């Protein structure tokens, strides 16, 4: 399961009921893994929140999401978002708190590279290798993440990366809020990466380019957005990935508030920019 952008308004310590319902639905479904593609709490604004307030927001998130999943024995793998761990200097305190909050909540997984946890890290489950990318600022990845991907993902049979910002734009008024890193695209080709998961654009859309799938997640919190080329705001939803032993990846999204209905791919744009809708690849 993939969840994303669960936060409410700036400074909020409450979560919409659909978030708890999503967690309940996930627990009943019993997935092998839950990934969060960032923005779990609502920081990164001015005036900057006090450390005590940020910690209260995290306590609310853990009570609503982390702790129920942990009690159910479902590992949660997170990646930093701009509203909870922005790498811009003005929000350094929030980023430090993010690191501290997850240090003691490290999931019981087979880690290949955990030196940068909970920012950049790589783990394996069920023969699939996953890499969390630290992408909370606009533009190409910072630091040595390209080299670490080369080292850790080159031998993966099935490779999935996940980050907050996407490589490509999906939603209206978020067109420039991307990684936009051609070198990373080339590296994906070299390594044979199968799938990149992202948040931030608050709209589900499954696309592909040059054999790599790029899936944007809907939000579970506030602020759903319209996909590029559409007018209506996207529904709240969570994403389900089913990865077969042969490496085939099936993607589905379930709409809130009860997650009983799947999003019909046929209702989504066939193309967004350079990306083609995933189901049209076959």
């Amino acid at each position: 399961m993939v969840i994303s952008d669960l936060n409410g308004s700036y400074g909020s310590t409450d979560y919409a009921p659909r978030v708890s319902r999503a967690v309940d639905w996930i627990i009943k479904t019993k997935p092998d893994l839950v990934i969060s593609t960032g923005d779990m709490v609502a920081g990164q604004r001015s005036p900057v929140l006090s450390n005590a307030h940020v910690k209260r927001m995290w306590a609310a998130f853990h009570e609503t999401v982390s702790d129920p999943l942990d009690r159910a024995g479902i590992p949660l793998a997170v990646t930093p978002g701009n509203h909870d761990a922005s790498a811009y200097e003005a929000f350094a305190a929030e980023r430090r708190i993010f690191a501290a909050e997850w240090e003691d909540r490290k999931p019981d997984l087979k880690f290949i590279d955990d030196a940068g946890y909970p920012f950049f890290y790589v783990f394996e489950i069920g023969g699939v290798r996953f890499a969390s990318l630290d992408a909370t600022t606009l533009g190409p990845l910072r630091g040595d993440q390209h080299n670490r991907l080369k080292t850790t993902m080159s031998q993966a049979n099935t490779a999935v990366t996940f980050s907050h910002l996407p490589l490509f734009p999906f939603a209206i008024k978020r067109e420039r809020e991307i990684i936009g890193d051609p070198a990373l695209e080339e590296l994906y080709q070299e390594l044979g990466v199968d799938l990149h998961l992202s948040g931030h654009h608050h709209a589900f859309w499954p696309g592909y380019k040059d054999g790599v799938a790029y899936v944007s997640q809907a939000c579970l919190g506030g602020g759903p957005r319209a996909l590029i080329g559409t007018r209506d705001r996207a529904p709240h939803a969570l994403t389900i990935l089913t990865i077969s032993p042969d490496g085939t990846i099936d993607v589905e999204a379930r709409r809130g508030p009860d997650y009983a209905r799947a999003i019909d791919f046929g209702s989504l744009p066939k193309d967004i920019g350079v990306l083609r809708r995933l189901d049209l690849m076959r």
Side-chain angles (χ1 to χ4, degrees):
M1 303 286 183
V2 190
I3 56 178
S4 193
D5 299 274
L6 299 93
N7 55 336
S9 59
Y10 180 56
S12 175
T13 56
D14 296 314
Y15 287 85
R18 64 179 164 271
V19 174
S20 293
R21 286 196 289 266
V23 172
D24 290 342
W25 191 86
I26 289 169
I27 290 171
K28 290 178 182 178
T29 308
K30 299 179 180 178
D32 298 299
L33 174 71
V34 174
I35 290 172
S36 170
T37 53
D39 279 5
M40 292 164 276
V41 300
Q44 203 206 23
R45 292 278 291 276
S46 294
V48 176
L49 297 167
S50 70
N51 288 358
H53 191 105
V54 174
K55 290 177 181 179
R56 287 196 295 271
M57 290 195 297
W58 278 114
F61 177 82
H62 295 320
E63 180 181 2
T64 305
V65 180
S66 313
D67 292 341
L69 292 176
D70 183 61
R71 288 193 293 267
I74 300 171
L76 172 62
V78 302
T79 199
N82 61 294
H83 284 296
D84 47 34
S86 172
Y88 290 120
E89 184 58 33
F91 306 102
E94 293 180 359
R95 190 169 170 88
R96 286 193 295 270
I97 293 171
F98 177 90
E101 290 291 328
W102 292 105
E103 183 178 3
D104 295 330
R105 292 177 176 270
K106 189 175 179 181
D108 184 15
L109 297 166
K110 178 184 176 182
F111 283 89
I112 310 300
D113 178 351
D114 61 355
Y117 180 85
F119 300 102
F120 178 97
Y121 60 96
V122 180
F123 63 91
E124 191 167 281
I125 181 171
V128 181
R129 195 161 291 190
F130 293 85
S132 163
L133 308 183
D134 185 3
T136 66
T137 58
L138 307 187
L141 295 181
R142 294 186 176 199
D144 62 349
Q145 295 185 76
H146 289 79
N147 289 332
R148 291 171 72 185
L149 279 172
K150 287 182 182 179
T151 301
T152 56
M153 301 294 276
S154 59
Q155 301 300 318
N157 293 323
T158 304
V160 178
T161 59
F162 58 101
S163 65
H164 186 59
L165 291 184
L167 268 78
F168 305 98
F170 294 94
I172 293 173
K173 295 185 179 180
R174 287 276 165 99
E175 289 88 347
R176 296 185 179 182
E177 297 183 21
I178 60 173
I179 297 172
D181 188 345
L184 184 59
E185 277 191 76
E186 292 179 9
L187 183 58
Y188 280 2
Q189 298 298 310
E190 176 185 334
L191 297 175
V193 169
D194 299 282
L195 169 64
H196 178 94
L197 303 163
S198 61
H200 193 64
H201 283 213
H202 294 204
F204 172 75
W205 195 78
Y208 79 96
K209 180 178 182 288
D210 298 330
V212 181
Y214 297 93
V215 178
S216 172
Q217 317 312 309
C219 65
L220 287 177
R225 292 181 174 270
L227 290 165
I228 294 169
T230 69
R231 294 183 178 181
D232 297 331
R233 290 187 176 189
H236 295 96
L238 54 78
T239 303
I240 305 170
L241 305 177
T242 304
I243 306 178
S244 302
D246 66 359
T248 302
I249 302 176
D250 290 322
V251 179
E252 179 185 359
R254 292 293 189 97
R255 304 167 59 109
D258 57 5
Y259 310 99
R261 294 179 297 155
I263 292 178
D264 177 11
F265 283 19
S267 68
L268 303 173
K270 291 183 178 180
D271 301 278
I272 295 182
V274 298
L275 302 176
R276 184 74 164 163
R277 203 174 70 209
L278 185 61
D279 58 309
L280 302 178
M281 181 174 64
R282 301 184 180 93

